[in-house]
Amino acid sequence: MQTTSRQFLLVFLTALLLFFPNTNAFAANENLFAHQNTTIPEKQNVENIIVMGGDVTVYGTVRDAVVIFNGNLTVKKSARIQGIVLVIGGSIHQEPGAQVTDNILSLAFDSATKNSLFIAGIALFGFWLARMAFNLVLLVLPVLTAYVMKQRIEPFARLLYRSPIQLLTVGFIISLSVVALSILLSITIIGIPFVVLMLLLIILIFIVGLAAMSMIVGEWLPGNAGKSAEIKAFTGTGVIIACVNLPFFGSLLLLCLLWISLGMMAMWIREKMDKKKQAL
């Protein structure tokens, strides 16, 4: 209980230091805070030391913790630190004879570490930007498709109402066939353009299928009865995008939407061909 209370006090005081950046140094209840170089004399006893942007030299006794941000720590041989030592963005120098009875943690941001953090930050920002662009495309294209096609997209919606499991199964089989065919075509240079065209066709099919599914989801939402196709597609796409962005489940849902779209197009083409045969 005592250790937990000390840790809570340490976090609170650190936050207090961050919220009052213009305060150079003050002491209360034997806790020392500073934004400058700090020295603890040999006969001085303090509870905690928290310093940001300055070096710390300890000759005396620290009963709980030493926390330093962007600064170095020097522990002299007469020093005694009974708690944890945490130095972020600096180094630690401990003279022989100095007593540190708890853990010592140091995170020194050298050039390699800074470069790694910078690259990781750029990668995360790039991933976030790509995700935002994907969501925007996923929102705009189905709505435009529903607006342009309007009544012509209803046959796809009827297929989904009639046999969603069948569409999913057919789409899954088609996707396996497309992957196998793409691998075979990619072996030769001549086949690569056909692979690109096939991928573009699949994207187009996915957009049409997503527009149909968005309209159906939009119809299920309250207040959308009697609304235009693009309004239904817009609200439905918003729900789909929210679900697609869920961890793990979203990726699986996106894959299922692709399979259903492929199944829609395949079943629609089959119905068209059957009608032509009957007409003949």
Side-chain angles (χ1 to χ4, degrees):
M1 181 66 68
Q2 185 178 5
T3 303
T4 303
S5 300
R6 287 185 176 183
Q7 292 176 348
F8 176 79
L9 178 61
L10 182 61
V11 172
F12 172 76
L13 294 176
T14 304
L16 189 64
L17 178 64
L18 296 175
F19 278 107
F20 293 96
N22 294 326
T23 303
N24 291 327
F26 65 90
N29 298 325
E30 296 182 328
N31 293 291
L32 180 61
F33 305 86
H35 280 281
Q36 59 191 14
N37 295 339
T38 303
T39 300
I40 306 300
E42 184 174 352
K43 295 183 179 180
Q44 183 176 357
N45 296 330
V46 295
E47 188 74 19
N48 297 290
I49 301 174
I50 302 176
V51 175
M52 180 177 294
D55 298 333
V56 177
T57 303
V58 180
Y59 291 89
T61 300
V62 181
R63 292 192 294 272
D64 201 344
V66 177
V67 179
I68 303 173
F69 299 94
N70 195 25
N72 302 318
L73 171 64
T74 301
V75 185
K76 297 296 184 178
K77 61 181 180 180
S78 60
R80 178 179 175 83
I81 301 176
Q82 300 174 351
I84 189 172
V85 175
L86 175 61
V87 178
I88 300 177
S91 59
I92 300 175
H93 175 67
Q94 181 177 345
E95 292 185 352
Q99 300 182 37
V100 180
T101 60
D102 210 327
N103 295 324
I104 299 177
L105 302 176
S106 177
L107 297 175
F109 296 137
D110 53 8
S111 297
T113 304
K114 291 179 181 178
N115 292 336
S116 299
L117 292 175
F118 177 76
I119 294 173
I122 292 296
L124 288 175
F125 178 75
F127 175 78
W128 175 83
L129 195 62
R131 194 65 179 263
M132 291 295 295
F134 176 75
N135 289 336
L136 183 61
V137 171
L138 208 62
L139 177 65
V140 173
L141 291 183
V143 176
L144 290 178
T145 303
Y147 176 75
V148 173
M149 297 183 66
K150 292 185 178 179
Q151 300 299 328
R152 286 177 291 179
I153 206 172
E154 290 185 1
F156 297 97
R158 288 198 298 269
L159 286 172
L160 183 59
Y161 273 121
R162 190 171 61 195
S163 53
I165 302 299
Q166 183 181 7
L167 296 180
L168 183 65
T169 305
V170 172
F172 174 72
I173 295 174
I174 293 175
S175 66
L176 293 180
S177 303
V178 168
V179 171
L181 183 59
S182 299
I183 294 174
L184 292 176
L185 291 175
S186 300
I187 296 176
T188 61
I189 299 177
I190 300 176
I192 293 178
F194 293 97
V195 175
V196 174
L197 291 176
M198 188 165 50
L199 292 178
L200 292 176
L201 180 61
I202 291 175
I203 293 174
L204 181 61
I205 293 173
F206 175 66
I207 293 172
V208 174
L210 187 61
M213 289 181 280
S214 299
M215 290 178 58
I216 293 175
V217 174
E219 289 178 356
W220 293 341
L221 297 177
N224 275 354
K227 295 291 183 63
S228 61
E230 54 269 22
I231 296 298
K232 294 178 182 178
F234 178 78
T235 54
T237 305
V239 175
I240 292 175
I241 291 175
C243 296
V244 166
N245 281 278
L246 294 175
F248 179 72
F249 173 78
S251 301
L252 181 60
L253 175 62
L254 188 63
L255 193 58
C256 290
L257 294 177
L258 175 61
W259 290 339
I260 292 174
S261 300
L262 292 174
M264 278 184 184
M265 187 58 64
M267 297 299 294
W268 179 77
I269 294 174
R270 180 181 177 183
E271 287 187 353
K272 286 289 184 181
M273 293 178 63
D274 290 342
K275 289 180 179 179
K276 287 184 178 180
K277 289 181 180 179
Q278 292 175 2
L280 295 175

